[in-house]
Amino acid sequence: MSDPDQQFLTLAAELSRQGMEAGHGGPFGSVVVLDGHVVGRGWNQVTSTNDPTAHAEVVAIRDACRALARFDLRGATLYASCEPCPMCLASALWARVDRIVYANDRFQAAEIGFDDALIYEQVASPPDNRIIPCEHRPNGAALAVFKAWCGKADRVPY
């Protein structure tokens, strides 16, 4: 691992500590780096904002997208103080980051009370086998919107 990787991981760890000590949420921090520059910063803010999606990586991705005025983070690296959970991994995939570098892993997170094993298991389960009932109910109005999207001349693909 190169020195810049360690420097950005240390910055992510510092953000995690600052957020934790300020009472913003759990001990997680993240930065988005593009061309050697930090373009997004985040720390866990779940409990301080009452937002279960305010994980450090999601906050950093949102910050980077605002700063760059784009939803695509191709060319960027997401640094995280801990291995991204399934939601954060999905967010990084949707943002199209080129690379993810993390310090602590999911097993270390589980040891301190942040166990994502159930979520990984549920994502892999068929919808009708999940612990939250998921029912497929086709709807004409919803399908019509999808069809309209396909004919929309100014749609922005992502």
Side-chain angles (χ1 to χ4, degrees):
M1 189 178 291
S2 68
D3 286 340
D5 284 343
Q6 285 299 325
Q7 291 170 356
F8 292 125
L9 285 174
T10 298
L11 177 56
E14 289 170 359
L15 289 171
S16 73
R17 179 176 295 281
Q18 291 169 9
M20 176 188 71
E21 289 178 350
H24 293 167
F28 304 97
S30 184
V31 292
V32 176
V33 175
L34 182 65
D35 298 327
H37 301 284
V38 175
V39 295
R41 296 171 186 260
W43 51 91
N44 185 286
Q45 299 173 36
V46 170
T47 58
S48 61
T49 62
N50 295 316
D51 179 353
T53 69
H55 289 201
E57 298 90 336
V58 172
V59 173
I61 288 168
R62 289 174 180 164
D63 189 46
C65 289
R66 267 191 305 273
L68 298 170
R70 65 187 221 210
F71 59 83
D72 183 313
L73 296 176
R74 280 182 174 89
T77 299
L78 176 69
Y79 289 90
S81 63
C82 187
E83 180 178 358
C85 74
M87 177 184 68
C88 294
L89 175 59
S91 297
L93 289 165
W94 275 111
R96 310 291 196 265
V97 300
D98 281 8
R99 187 169 165 244
I100 298 171
V101 180
Y102 61 91
N104 300 321
D105 66 27
R106 71 176 90 168
F107 306 105
Q108 291 169 303
E111 289 173 4
I112 63 164
F114 296 92
D115 191 348
D116 295 334
L118 176 66
I119 299 169
Y120 280 101
E121 180 183 295
Q122 289 296 298
V123 168
S125 295
D128 59 348
N129 284 347
R130 294 182 183 148
I131 57 175
I132 296 175
C134 297
E135 301 174 19
H136 179 214
R137 301 277 176 100
N139 178 277
L143 184 57
V145 176
F146 271 21
K147 288 179 180 178
W149 171 258
C150 290
K152 190 170 168 28
D154 63 343
R155 74 177 184 260
V156 178
Y158 59 96

